[in-house]
Amino acid sequence: MKVTIDNLEKTHAFCLSTGKIKEKTADRELIKSLKFVAEKGIDFIDRRSEDISEESDEWTFVFREYYESLRGLIEAYILFEGIEADNHQCKNAYLCYKHPELELDWNFLETIRLKRNAINYRGQLLTFTDWNAFQLQLTLHINALKKEIEQKLG
């Protein structure tokens, strides 16, 4: 099944015009906490994944934890600017539209968001091959955001 990815500029404009992206007071302690939880989630799932066989469908939950950790880092990053959004797509759109210098991949973020929705709302399970297709990009996006957040926190 081919997934259609919405246009970044149109998605960002829609999120702004419908009030899904809004201002919020920047909170350094919340940013630190979101980063900490994201890192703990990755550490936890990395330890657990050592015992998962390649034939298992538990790779679904490895993917989901990585996704949630990335989402938390995205939320932390945009919070530096006093921004919050009502949904994952609008958070991703804001970040990619306003910060092209981060070189985060809009198409990848949308692909994994839709994959996460398929897991959570349609009961789809992932194989090791599925996980393996996402792992490198997820890790690169997570590491890029962690580095930027650490720099901003000083």
Side-chain angles (χ1 to χ4, degrees):
M1 178 179 160
K2 178 72 175 137
V3 175
T4 303
I5 304 299
D6 294 335
N7 174 275
L8 171 59
E9 291 77 16
K10 287 181 182 176
T11 302
H12 181 259
F14 174 79
C15 292
L16 280 176
S17 69
T18 58
K20 294 184 183 308
I21 295 175
K22 48 193 149 221
E23 292 182 7
K24 177 179 180 158
T25 303
D27 180 343
R28 286 182 71 82
E29 292 308 310
L30 178 56
I31 291 166
K32 289 178 189 176
S33 181
L34 289 169
K35 180 181 173 291
F36 179 78
V37 168
E39 291 170 339
K40 287 300 222 182
I42 295 295
D43 289 344
F44 173 78
I45 207 67
D46 282 348
R47 286 193 311 275
R48 292 288 312 261
S49 66
E50 293 171 3
D51 298 328
I52 302 173
S53 78
E54 289 188 14
E55 292 75 36
S56 174
D57 59 12
E58 291 178 348
W59 295 103
T60 304
F61 309 103
V62 175
F63 168 85
R64 199 162 61 179
E65 187 58 45
Y66 265 74
Y67 177 87
E68 290 303 321
S69 293
L70 177 59
R71 187 192 57 74
L73 292 169
I74 291 169
E75 190 169 329
Y77 188 88
I78 67 174
L79 192 53
F80 275 112
E81 297 174 9
I83 296 295
E84 71 175 353
D86 288 349
N87 60 51
H88 302 189
Q89 185 179 40
C90 290
K91 288 175 189 178
N92 295 346
Y94 178 87
L95 184 63
C96 289
Y97 185 81
K98 291 290 190 178
H99 295 284
E101 75 279 5
L102 295 176
E103 298 181 352
L104 300 178
D105 184 337
W106 165 252
N107 289 324
F108 176 73
L109 291 175
E110 277 297 276
T111 299
I112 63 171
R113 181 185 68 80
L114 294 169
K115 183 61 72 176
R116 179 261 188 192
N117 287 352
I119 292 166
N120 283 7
Y121 306 124
R122 292 192 300 283
Q124 186 179 76
L125 295 173
L126 302 184
T127 65
F128 175 75
T129 302
D130 296 326
W131 161 244
N132 212 30
F134 296 120
Q135 182 181 14
L136 177 60
Q137 280 289 87
L138 272 164
T139 301
L140 290 172
H141 281 70
I142 286 168
N143 288 342
L145 282 168
K146 279 175 41 178
K147 179 182 171 192
E148 292 296 321
I149 291 167
E150 286 165 4
Q151 287 177 351
K152 287 180 173 286
L153 287 171

